[in-house]
Amino acid sequence: MPDRHLSRRSVLRTTSGAFGVAPVGVRHASGEAIGTAGRCPEATIRPGMEHCTDAHGDGCSDDHPETEAIQDAVSRTLEDRYPNVGTLIDEGFIPYFDLASSGEEGGYSHWINPGYLGDETVLDPERPESVLVDNKWWRPIGVMFIATEDGEAVDDPPAVYGEGDEACAPWHYHTGVPGRFAWWYYQKVYGSDGKTSLKLPCRTPCMLHVWTYPNPNGVYAHGPPPRGNRGGPPAEDPGFDTWATPGDDELEWNTLPDGFVSQFKPDTSLRDLLFG
């Protein structure tokens, strides 16, 4: 379990409620108006995203050999190394602060690995920066690659395959306050040795999903497969002791081990941070 940044948890904390919509004109502690464009012309109050490359997903095909290869490689990694939430916890993954707020429509959570963010690999199926977990069946259903090297964002992430206008490079970044704040908070508490700017970043690093269950919008879709396409029962063994029953109880903070929650669950809302 990573613990070298835990002493800074008192610097800033937030709950999954931080992903609610902030009112227009709200100011960050630095004085930046996070709900307006200001220095960030792409910024939006509600969740928003943009493509990282001109090619983005236009050159992608689900039946292309390279798509099949990366999907198969991700599937093997999840099956062999991260088959359940317990293995994610054991290997240093922590929730990307949305565990209890993904809602019925999405019903999944992001788990992020600080070590993989800080290494030199990009688009490595064996070292996914984030694993995506279905909250009903407690089952990993894909990964989210985050384009960073040594913890710094990569401006021109590699294509999955192809070149130029024909490339398959479905990378996107988030411009909305929820995504920007989540990334800033993650860096502040866990990822940057206390050197994070007081101002919210204008955008997140580039990200790319690979889903291992059938998705009508494609292997690289931004949104998850519908719940009916996530394998169904039986639910996965949680991999740790819990009062909850996967398949009957949603994966939430209060279903996780007490020691893990006490270390990693934030306990102050974005509103409290801004006005408290």
Side-chain angles (χ1 to χ4, degrees), residues 26-106:
V26 165
R27 289 186 175 271
H28 181 258
S30 67
E32 177 196 7
I34 65 173
T36 58
R39 65 184 175 86
C40 304
E42 293 181 303
T44 58
I45 296 174
R46 295 182 180 276
M49 67 175 218
E50 299 290 342
H51 298 294
C52 292
T53 66
D54 291 337
H56 49 88
D58 289 350
C60 297
S61 171
D62 282 2
D63 59 5
H64 190 282
E66 293 297 333
T67 295
E68 293 177 346
I70 194 169
Q71 187 182 42
D72 288 346
V74 167
S75 295
R76 288 195 300 272
T77 294
L78 297 184
E79 291 170 3
D80 296 343
R81 299 182 60 188
Y82 310 121
N84 55 37
V85 174
T87 55
L88 294 177
I89 292 174
D90 290 344
E91 294 301 320
F93 284 83
I94 58 176
Y96 192 45
F97 310 115
D98 62 348
L99 183 64
S101 63
S102 51
E104 283 298 317
E105 182 179 355

Side-chain angles (χ1 to χ4, degrees), residues 52-53 56-57 60 70 74 110 122-124 128-130 132 142-147 157-161 168-174 204-211 219-222:
C52 292
T53 66
H56 49 88
C60 297
I70 194 169
V74 167
H110 298 70
V122 179
L123 207 60
D124 183 349
E129 289 78 12
S130 179
L132 310 171
V143 303
M144 183 176 74
F145 295 107
I146 303 174
V160 180
Y161 60 87
C168 172
W171 295 93
H172 66 277
Y173 60 87
H174 292 269
T204 67
C206 294
M207 303 174 179
L208 183 157
H209 298 95
V210 174
W211 303 101
V219 171
Y220 307 108
H222 181 257

Side-chain angles (χ1 to χ4, degrees), residues 143-230:
V143 303
M144 183 176 74
F145 295 107
I146 303 174
T148 59
E149 290 183 354
D150 298 324
E152 299 295 328
V154 174
D155 292 332
D156 187 21
V160 180
Y161 60 87
E163 298 180 354
D165 293 339
E166 302 300 319
C168 172
W171 295 93
H172 66 277
Y173 60 87
H174 292 269
T175 58
V177 166
R180 293 167 61 207
F181 178 83
W183 180 249
W184 176 84
Y185 175 77
Y186 174 84
Q187 289 183 303
K188 185 68 178 177
V189 181
Y190 298 106
S192 59
D193 296 320
K195 299 177 182 179
T196 301
S197 170
L198 286 175
K199 293 183 177 181
L200 295 183
C202 290
R203 46 168 281 189
T204 67
C206 294
M207 303 174 179
L208 183 157
H209 298 95
V210 174
W211 303 101
T212 56
Y213 285 80
N215 193 324
N217 294 315
V219 171
Y220 307 108
H222 181 257
R227 277 204 153 176
N229 285 18
R230 301 183 194 173

